[in-house]
Amino acid sequence: MPASSSPREITAKAVVLGIVLAAVLAGANAYLGLKVGLTVSASIPAAVISMAVLRMLRGATVVENNIVQTAASAGEALAAGVIFTLPALVLLGYWNGFPFLPVATIALCGGVLGVLFTVPLRRALIVEKPLRFPEGVATAEVLKAGQRGGRSARYITIAGLAGALLKFAQTGLGIASGTVTGAVKAGGVVIGLGSELGVALLGVGYIVGLNIAVLVFAGGALAWFAGIPLYMALADPVALQGVVGDATGFDAAEAVWDEQIRYLGVGAMAVGGVWALLSVVRPMVTSIRSSISAVRAARSGEGTDVPRTERDIPANWLGYGTLVMAAPVLLVFLFVVDRSRLEIGSGVFAGTLAFGLVFALLAGFVFSSVSGYMTGLVGSSNNPVSGVTVLTLLTSSLVLLGILGTQIDFGADEAKATIGAATAVLISGVVSCAAAIAGDNLHDLKTGRLLGATPFKQQIMLIVGVVVSALCIAPILSVLYAAYGMGNSFPRSGMDPSQALQAPQAALMSSIGEGVFGGGLPWAMIAGGGVLAVLLIVADQVLQRREASFRMPVLAVAVGLYLPLELSVPIFVGGVIAHLVARRKRGADNGPGVLFASGLITGEALVGIVLAIPFAIAQSSDVFAVAPSALGMSEGAFTVLTNTLGIAAFLFFVVWLYRTARKEE
């Protein structure tokens, strides 16, 4: 769209629809992220839904639809930043739930900072040195083909309804299994086997593609088929007994993974975060210099006649906005960190708060730049948020240990160790939200650049999406926690551990924080993960120089290392389907397959959230469950039936996804 024109962009209907979709996608991705530790880009589904809805209202422009997906995608990104960190405070036992004001404040301030920090990078990364931003380009192509919107939305709707029905049968009625697990024992060594049967992860695997799906599965296979058996075979019997206890079979393998092997992922994440930072130092400095030059030119009068398509949030807003966001973050630190339990002087406490705020802002800016640049290279689905968050947590924990450790023996007081870890988690929460939004922001601005949108208006709508999502995320987390529990934390007795949301990243954050302050981190495993990460980085660089189509980003393998094996299997299956479809179509699919997969994710996630409400009210997840006696069956026969139905349903969706993705539209 020409820069000289003045198309309709921010309209009442676009704002309302953007707000609704931001809230829905924030909830859906919060559920998905807590379940599996991964979120997926919501831009294409949001764009398709926008086109379908606004078409009925007539007269919508392509940039108006772009405004809707810009606001909506902020919900997905902010959810990732929150669920990767703040649930750790519940897992640590520091919070008994998700208090609205602290959660909303960290989410809102971190998200807005992510938008502000990347505004100066737009010119350098999108205009002067345009990067790939694959999801941004794909979203632009979908919006350009807007006349297909009504038909394309059908795939999301049908898949969403089907995925929702299966989720209700699995979690609500309990007549189809959501997971199958088992174990093989040979010579005292246990090899765990299993698979999640929910279709959301199938959709995730399809969207991220075979390359990432293979690496996630490879990380899981390495942990479960090599790491666990080797540890059980070589570990001191007394130490092994301390880890396994009375558990046998799959439960024993899971205990070893939880206590030891998954820390390989921590080491790999930390090294991956450092590598991501080193990879972008030079282009980041170049980008900042370019932005400063543009600001100086505008102030000197050289840039007074700036085209509409080059107008950003004014530079002076960035500084003022950062200061405004810093104040509530400091208040959260002040009221959440329990000084009375730490028993430290006012000077040390003030120094702790000052470090927390300054480090959060500096790390937020640096890692927002890292996130923006890396997603420009490899896409927002590969945003290194997990890696930079682990690196932030480790660094801030060690510095806080240095500040406070001279006065406090953390190892002798578990409560104080928990407070130290909680402080580091709060810092990481700000950084994680900023980095997640930064990658999303630049992808949306890339889409807008291709469509002739106004950057300033997109940035404003991103902030609107952040505000809406921040206000929604705390109630959603509270309901999910009350209904399902998270990790090893259950708000009431008698909850079903198999229904618990794993919250894998948050579980890692809590373990790292506790380990740094209280001692007991398996440093050998962390070091081993770091060595593995270095080997993967070297291999990836070799593949890059050879211009190979298959790459080995270290963070994808690290995700697999700390995910339960059964979650990696359906992701791998989805990636295989995407590969088969791409071979048939001779190119990546951004049509029916992606939309169908997005519908599966959204349908399952929304039913999970809706079911959480009656589960929480009744204080039971058996509200709608069908008892074996109602069918005249024994427990054993009922288990066979539910496993058979769960597996059959999953295979049905595998075939359905493949057949749908093959269609040419």
Side-chain angles (χ1 to χ4, degrees):
M1 192 164 290
S4 58
S5 62
S6 299
R8 292 192 312 277
E9 289 187 74
I10 298 181
T11 62
K13 58 186 177 183
V15 170
V16 171
L17 183 57
I19 287 174
V20 171
L21 290 179
V24 170
L25 293 173
N29 272 279
Y31 174 84
L32 180 64
L34 289 171
K35 184 180 180 66
V36 68
L38 294 171
T39 59
V40 295
S41 175
S43 294
I44 290 177
V48 171
I49 294 171
S50 173
M51 289 186 291
V53 173
L54 294 187
R55 168 178 284 193
M56 293 187 292
L57 301 177
R58 299 185 180 279
T61 65
V62 68
V63 288
E64 191 176 1
N65 282 308
N66 181 55
I67 280 293
V68 174
Q69 74 82 18
T70 296
S73 64
E76 166 263 321
L78 193 68
V82 171
I83 58 94
F84 287 176
T85 52
L86 297 188
L89 296 172
V90 172
L91 302 180
L92 285 166
Y94 195 74
W95 281 351
N96 295 320
F98 293 91
F100 177 79
L101 280 178
V103 172
T105 300
I106 292 293
L108 189 151
C109 295
V112 172
L113 288 171
V115 176
L116 298 179
F117 287 158
T118 48
V119 168
L121 301 177
R122 184 191 68 84
R123 181 181 299 276
L125 300 185
I126 295 177
V127 180
E128 296 176 359
K129 184 184 178 181
L131 300 176
R132 291 173 57 200
F133 290 103
E135 282 94 339
V137 173
T139 304
E141 292 302 316
V142 169
L143 287 168
K144 288 178 181 178
Q147 67 271 17
R148 302 185 314 172
R151 293 195 303 273
S152 297
R154 184 179 61 217
Y155 293 114
I156 295 179
T157 303
I158 293 173
L161 291 173
L165 287 173
L166 178 59
K167 179 64 177 176
F168 183 70
Q170 291 173 328
T171 304
L173 300 177
I175 58 174
S177 295
T179 306
V180 289
T181 59
V184 176
K185 186 174 182 179
V189 173
V190 178
I191 299 177
L193 302 169
S195 175
E196 168 84 20
L197 300 177
V199 292
L201 302 186
L202 183 68
V204 169
Y206 187 89
I207 291 173
V208 301
L210 181 64
N211 193 337
I212 299 300
V214 164
L215 293 175
V216 171
F217 180 76
L222 181 64
W224 287 78
F225 300 153
I228 294 173
L230 283 174
Y231 182 86
M232 298 183 77
L234 301 176
D236 177 77
V238 176
L240 180 61
Q241 180 64 29
V243 172
V244 174
D246 297 329
T248 59
F250 184 85
D251 292 337
E254 191 171 42
V256 171
W257 168 81
D258 184 59
E259 294 288 333
Q260 294 289 328
I261 303 303
R262 67 174 179 154
Y263 285 93
L264 291 170
V266 174
M269 279 285 176
V271 172
V274 172
W275 175 248
L277 177 59
L278 294 176
S279 300
V280 303
V281 169
R282 183 176 296 177
M284 187 171 67
V285 171
T286 302
S287 299
I288 293 171
R289 286 176 177 171
S290 174
S291 299
I292 291 173
S293 298
V295 170
R296 287 175 177 171
R299 286 180 175 175
S300 65
E302 299 174 22
T304 52
D305 189 19
V306 179
R308 175 185 59 80
T309 54
E310 295 297 335
R311 294 174 191 160
D312 288 298
I313 288 178
N316 58 338
W317 288 27
L318 305 183
Y320 296 142
T322 301
L323 292 176
V324 169
M325 292 298 104
V329 170
L330 181 60
L331 288 175
V332 169
F333 288 178
L334 179 63
F335 289 107
V336 173
V337 179
D338 191 347
R339 176 190 170 188
S340 63
R341 296 289 296 276
L342 283 173
E343 298 176 3
I344 57 177
S346 58
V348 175
F349 184 63
T352 300
L353 294 181
F355 163 75
L357 179 63
V358 173
F359 187 82
L361 294 178
L362 290 178
F365 174 72
V366 170
F367 288 132
S368 291
S369 302
V370 170
S371 172
Y373 187 83
M374 291 298 291
T375 55
L377 291 176
V378 297
S380 61
S381 296
N382 301 313
N383 193 343
V385 173
S386 295
V388 300
T389 305
V390 167
L391 184 59
T392 300
L393 184 73
L394 272 174
T395 305
S396 58
S397 296
L398 292 171
V399 174
L400 286 170
L401 185 64
I403 294 174
L404 300 171
T406 56
Q407 298 189 16
I408 298 172
D409 181 6
F410 284 104
D413 190 328
E414 184 178 339
K416 291 177 181 178
T418 299
I419 293 170
T423 305
V425 169
L426 287 173
I427 296 170
S428 302
V430 176
V431 175
S432 180
C433 290
I437 285 292
D440 175 72
N441 181 14
L442 287 172
H443 261 83
D444 288 334
L445 292 173
K446 176 68 172 182
T447 301
R449 175 77 177 176
L450 297 173
L451 298 175
T454 308
F456 172 81
K457 294 181 179 179
Q458 281 192 273
Q459 291 153 1
I460 293 298
M461 285 305 294
L462 272 164
I463 293 175
V464 170
V466 165
V467 172
V468 171
S469 305
L471 295 176
C472 293
I473 201 74
I476 290 170
L477 291 177
S478 295
V479 170
L480 290 175
Y481 178 56
Y484 303 112
M486 292 180 187
N488 295 321
S489 177
F490 301 96
R492 64 180 187 277
S493 61
M495 295 187 73
D496 184 359
S498 67
Q499 294 284 345
L501 300 171
Q502 294 295 321
Q505 277 97 342
L508 271 185
M509 301 299 168
S510 65
S511 299
I512 294 169
E514 275 192 322
V516 170
F517 289 96
L521 271 183
W523 289 105
M525 287 292 174
I526 294 174
V531 171
L532 175 62
V534 171
L535 295 176
L536 289 170
I537 290 168
V538 171
D540 189 51
Q541 290 302 296
V542 172
L543 291 172
Q544 182 181 22
R545 291 184 180 180
R546 293 181 178 178
E547 298 182 350
S549 57
F550 184 86
R551 298 291 301 278
M552 299 180 69
V554 61
L555 294 178
V557 179
V559 167
L561 286 169
Y562 68 70
L563 279 182
L565 177 66
E566 60 266 25
L567 300 182
S568 302
V569 174
I571 293 174
F572 174 71
V573 174
V576 171
I577 297 173
H579 175 68
L580 295 176
V581 171
R583 287 184 59 182
R584 181 180 179 86
K585 290 188 171 183
R586 298 183 181 180
D589 171 39
N590 284 317
V594 169
L595 299 175
F596 192 87
S598 299
L600 295 179
I601 294 168
T602 304
E604 177 175 322
L606 291 181
V607 166
I609 295 171
V610 171
L611 283 176
I613 298 173
F615 288 178
I617 293 173
Q619 297 285 287
S620 172
S621 57
D622 296 330
V623 178
F624 307 110
V626 176
S629 58
L631 301 177
M633 303 177 69
S634 66
E635 290 283 351
F638 187 72
T639 300
V640 172
L641 173 65
T642 57
N643 285 343
T644 301
L645 289 176
I647 294 171
F650 181 78
L651 294 176
F652 171 78
F653 274 91
V654 167
V655 175
W656 193 7
L657 173 59
Y658 175 70
R659 290 176 64 87
T660 301
R662 287 172 52 189
K663 295 179 180 179
E664 298 289 345
E665 184 173 337

